[in-house]
Amino acid sequence: KLSTRIIKYRDRVGGFHDVEQLLEVWGIEEELLSNNSKVLFCDGIVQKININKVTYEALKGHIFFDYKLARAIINYREQHGPFISVKELNKIVIVNDSIYTRIKPYLHID
């Protein structure tokens, strides 16, 4: 069951970029990670979202973007033009350091 939850979560986020993300899966404790640290690694592909092309509907469909965050990103892009870099998200009021750190690995700009 645990492996099924891991795969399901991985698919919902678009891939793991860090082993620590396993702690976000229900049922995985810190102890499990530390006991298996020598055999756990991340080397898969992370599906990235182009923040200059993504639609509101597609963005809010991602597990890390609720409707409020998705709307704020789309509104910012519409008001200020295309993003120059992902770091520009820090200019959006509701994007604090914690949110930025969580979503950054899943975003890119063409």
Side-chain angles (χ1 to χ4, degrees):
K1 287 190 175 207
L2 191 54
S3 60
T4 300
R5 280 189 295 234
I6 291 169
I7 291 167
K8 212 178 224 184
Y9 188 80
R10 180 201 63 196
D11 292 344
R12 288 185 68 206
V13 299
F16 291 118
H17 66 86
D18 189 318
V19 172
E20 294 287 318
Q21 282 184 284
L22 289 171
L23 293 171
E24 298 170 12
V25 176
W26 185 84
I28 295 189
E29 304 290 330
E30 183 75 43
E31 183 180 357
L32 182 67
L33 281 187
S34 60
N35 289 343
N36 294 286
S37 63
K38 293 184 185 205
V39 295
L40 295 173
F41 60 92
C42 280
D43 68 351
I45 297 170
V46 173
Q47 295 174 1
K48 297 202 175 230
I49 300 165
N50 184 331
I51 57 174
N52 283 330
K53 295 182 180 175
V54 69
T55 65
Y56 166 72
E57 290 298 323
L59 193 57
K60 79 176 182 119
H62 190 282
I63 190 172
F64 290 163
F65 297 87
D66 62 12
Y67 74 93
K68 188 175 177 182
L69 179 57
R71 177 54 48 210
I73 291 170
I74 299 301
N75 284 346
Y76 186 91
R77 184 180 72 198
E78 288 173 354
Q79 292 171 5
H80 301 278
F83 289 92
I84 306 287
S85 74
V86 173
K87 192 165 178 96
E88 237 183 302
L89 290 170
N90 286 321
K91 294 179 180 179
I92 300 172
V93 175
I94 66 169
V95 179
N96 59 32
D97 289 342
S98 175
I99 291 171
Y100 179 74
T101 301
R102 189 170 193 195
I103 65 176
K104 179 185 173 199
Y106 295 96
L107 302 174
H108 77 100
I109 296 173
D110 275 347

